[in-house]
Amino acid sequence: MSGTEKKPPGSKRSVGRPRRLDPDAMVATARRIIEEEGLDALSMRRVAKELGSTPMALYHYVQDKDELLMLTLSGTAAAFPRPELPADPRERLTAVAAHMHGILEQIPWVLDILALGELTDRDALWMVEEIIDCALDCGLSPGQAVRAYRTIWSYVYGDLVFRRAAARRAEHPPSKRYFPDMVTEADTAELPRLTAIKDDWRGYAADYDVVDELDAIITGLLARGAPGAPGTRSASGAPAG
């Protein structure tokens, strides 16, 4: 038979390989979904649908959702230039912690991914390295340095989660405000301190500086490394004193 042979009506097309995806488009789509709708809205199926593909096609590029999230995080820290840091390790420690807070405040969607644990942006590890290095230079043991980092990170993360919640409430104010308004004079016997300052609570809370609070936390953490400080261990690992 000469010429192009036509397929009979109703015949099926042969199934070929899935359409190739652009990895950058895949990551950008995942990031947009998280930014606009939150982490719970992200799924392999959702990303595939947005790209006009199938979930199986995504698995040619990533093993699972966690790997997709890691790719989504990749490069976020590198998008922010490293600041000029002071040479003094005490001042440097505070500066790095404040920089970490400042970056995450601008990309709050990252907090939801970091809350899953162990997922992080490799480009952000320089901040962890700096904090550990400064803590060691300030006299903390390796164990104390790691615990100091964890304390600093807990403060940074917790403060940003609180700020995001406050921003959402400000955007959609509730019909009734609870704390500290729920504290009344009737609570004086049980809650004397709160009753005394409840009317000034919001003013005190507004006068809040992250760097100052980080500095106070770091001062306390570094005090653990002072000779004779409670919890200080000798080179052998035994408590000093």
Side-chain angles (χ1 to χ4, degrees):
M1 181 180 294
S2 62
T4 303
E5 185 174 332
K6 295 183 178 180
K7 293 182 179 180
S11 63
K12 296 182 178 179
R13 295 180 58 188
S14 60
V15 178
R17 297 180 64 183
R19 180 171 67 87
R20 289 183 62 83
L21 294 174
D22 178 356
D24 290 339
M26 182 176 65
V27 171
T29 299
R31 183 177 295 181
R32 177 179 56 77
I33 292 171
I34 298 172
E35 287 180 338
E36 295 178 356
E37 303 177 44
L39 186 59
D40 290 342
L42 181 71
S43 68
M44 301 292 273
R45 183 179 300 277
R46 171 68 184 280
V47 174
K49 182 179 179 181
E50 293 270 347
L51 295 173
S53 186
T54 65
M56 286 305 299
L58 267 65
Y59 288 110
H60 285 280
Y61 298 90
V62 293
Q63 182 177 353
D64 50 28
K65 183 177 175 180
D66 278 355
E67 187 174 352
L68 176 58
L69 290 173
M70 283 289 287
L71 290 174
T72 303
L73 284 177
S74 180
T76 52
F80 297 85
R82 296 192 187 188
E84 291 288 335
L85 296 173
D88 178 75
R90 171 67 179 76
E91 296 177 5
R92 192 179 188 90
L93 180 50
T94 300
V96 174
H99 179 70
M100 179 187 294
H101 186 284
I103 286 180
L104 290 171
E105 190 171 24
Q106 297 179 63
I107 46 175
W109 59 271
V110 170
L111 296 172
D112 295 327
I113 300 178
L114 298 180
L116 299 176
E118 297 189 354
L119 300 180
T120 191
D121 177 9
R122 183 175 180 82
D123 290 331
L125 293 182
W126 72 267
M127 290 179 279
V128 183
E129 171 72 15
E130 284 282 1
I131 289 174
I132 296 296
D133 183 58
C134 290
L136 293 172
D137 284 349
C138 288
L140 297 190
S141 69
Q144 289 171 330
V146 170
R147 291 189 289 274
Y149 167 74
R150 183 173 178 179
T151 298
I152 291 168
W153 168 244
S154 296
Y155 169 78
V156 168
Y157 179 84
D159 180 70
L160 290 170
V161 168
F162 181 85
R163 287 170 182 267
R164 185 165 59 165
R168 287 173 178 168
R169 289 178 67 84
E171 187 176 350
H172 305 287
S175 58
K176 183 178 179 180
R177 304 179 78 173
Y178 292 95
F179 184 81
D181 300 331
M182 63 173 61
V183 180
T184 68
E185 296 302 323
D187 296 309
T188 300
E190 182 182 4
L191 307 170
R193 297 296 190 184
L194 284 179
T195 304
I197 65 174
K198 67 181 180 67
D199 293 336
D200 297 312
W201 182 278
R202 292 191 175 92
Y204 293 151
D207 186 20
Y208 186 93
D209 184 86
V210 169
V211 178
D212 286 346
E213 300 308 315
L214 278 169
D215 191 70
I217 291 169
I218 289 169
T219 295
L221 292 170
L222 295 184
R224 294 177 173 177
T232 300
R233 293 181 177 272
S234 65
S236 65

